[in-house]
Amino acid sequence: MTIVFIGSNILVVIYFIIKLNLIQDLISQPSTFFNTSYFIEISNNLGYKDWHATYIALNNLLACVFLLNYTTKPKPLKKKALAIFIIVLFLAFSLILNSRIIFLLNLLIIPFFLFFKIKTVKFKIIMVISMLLLFFTLFKVSNNNKLGRIFEHPIQYYVSNFSAKTILGVRYQVQECSVELISRSPILGYGIGYEKKLLTDYCFEVKNFQNKYLKSYTSHNVYLSIMFSAGIFGLLALVYMLFNNLILGIMQRDLIYVSFLIIFIIAFLTENYLIRLNGILLFAFLNSYFYQKNYIKIEKI
């Protein structure tokens, strides 16, 4: 299963390398390569609506977790080197995709996974020091530039103007509209299928909020979207499922499952990941698979 999943992600990266002429652009304009808006071309200009930079980057991050797990096992050195090369490829592609939430999740999940996966104290210390040096370097670099359009401004701007509006950007206005509508029907919500219609009309006509990249709106937040459709009871059911499964993964020390759930719990804050078929299928399949695997272990005890 993991081989198929990792292989499919490699094929997607290769496809975009060819489709967007990434190697040619890197050679011809290396100074501006990571500041080019490839994510707009992927999302809007390739003629396939389910190509979305955040979804691709999240899939790549999950593939990195599987590959990291492989490298911590007693495997041939050549295969481990190949796995590390693919991880680096995915991380570089993450910069090109320009998804801020997934970029930040890369910085969170990869150190988290390695810290708990590595058994030797010496290597844990080396890993922590290496990650601190990496974070310091990224911070210093992004003080003077946008770090490949991951941020609209250098990071110093976000530090000195820290607020939800600054961090969320265009999503702040959309989520503000969503919260105002939810507050009018918080118990039962509006029903499935009404979010895009009601939210778009409210943002355009009442709040007079428009964005050149968006012709219609969703909450860009799974938790708000669930409340919009099913109210507080729907949200409680989702939160219970997520944290019940997270506790199960922690109890069974399934680091891959815990990492998977943390990725989605955080990504759900800025992207309505369950509104697209490719998002629903991936989350439903992997969550069901890992839950069943860990639940069987409990039954055998």
Side-chain angles (χ1 to χ4, degrees), residues 60 63-71 80-94 106 110 114:
N60 288 174
C64 285
V65 171
F66 290 133
L67 287 165
L68 284 172
N69 186 61
Y70 179 85
T71 60
K80 286 187 176 184
L82 176 61
I84 293 171
F85 171 78
I86 296 171
I87 291 171
V88 172
L89 177 65
F90 284 149
L91 294 178
F93 195 58
S94 181
N106 277 313
I110 291 177
L114 287 174

Side-chain angles (χ1 to χ4, degrees), residues 170-171 174 204 209-217 220:
V170 65
R171 287 173 173 80
V174 177
F204 280 145
F209 170 69
Q210 299 185 25
N211 182 274
K212 63 181 179 179
Y213 297 120
L214 302 174
K215 294 183 174 64
S216 62
Y217 299 109
H220 279 83

Side-chain angles (χ1 to χ4, degrees), residues 27 130 159 180 213:
I27 295 172
S130 300
V159 173
E180 290 180 11
Y213 297 120

Side-chain angles (χ1 to χ4, degrees), residues 29-157:
Q29 49 180 12
S31 61
T32 61
F33 178 72
F34 286 106
N35 287 318
T36 303
S37 302
Y38 293 111
F39 74 100
I40 295 177
E41 294 187 47
I42 290 172
S43 299
N44 299 331
N45 299 334
L46 290 183
Y48 182 53
K49 65 179 181 179
D50 274 349
W51 283 131
H52 192 290
T54 300
Y55 288 60
I56 298 169
L58 190 144
N59 290 351
N60 288 174
L61 175 55
L62 289 175
C64 285
V65 171
F66 290 133
L67 287 165
L68 284 172
N69 186 61
Y70 179 85
T71 60
T72 59
K73 295 180 178 181
K75 299 290 183 179
L77 185 59
K78 289 183 179 180
K79 291 185 177 180
K80 286 187 176 184
L82 176 61
I84 293 171
F85 171 78
I86 296 171
I87 291 171
V88 172
L89 177 65
F90 284 149
L91 294 178
F93 195 58
S94 181
L95 276 175
I96 294 169
L97 292 172
N98 304 134
S99 174
R100 285 186 290 176
I101 185 65
I102 306 303
F103 175 77
L104 295 174
L105 276 170
N106 277 313
L107 298 181
L108 171 67
I109 293 299
I110 291 177
F112 166 84
F113 187 89
L114 287 174
F115 182 83
F116 286 101
K117 197 68 178 178
I118 295 172
K119 303 300 182 183
T120 311
V121 175
K122 181 177 71 174
F123 285 108
K124 283 181 184 285
I125 294 172
I126 293 173
M127 191 274 295
V128 170
I129 293 174
S130 300
M131 289 301 172
L132 289 174
L133 288 173
L134 174 62
F135 292 153
F136 177 77
T137 302
L138 288 173
F139 183 81
K140 296 298 289 185
V141 169
S142 57
N143 263 335
N144 300 315
N145 62 64
K146 301 176 185 179
L147 194 61
R149 290 199 83 258
I150 289 295
F151 303 106
E152 294 178 7
H153 307 278
I155 200 168
Q156 189 60 43
Y157 171 83

Side-chain angles (χ1 to χ4, degrees), residues 174 177-178 181 184 193-210 215-218 228:
V174 177
C177 293
S178 185
L181 283 174
R184 300 179 182 183
Y194 284 93
E195 179 186 6
K196 183 175 288 190
K197 168 63 177 167
L198 294 177
L199 189 56
T200 300
D201 290 345
Y202 187 77
C203 282
F204 280 145
E205 297 174 11
V206 179
K207 302 293 288 186
N208 195 30
F209 170 69
Q210 299 185 25
K215 294 183 174 64
S216 62
Y217 299 109
T218 66
F228 206 104

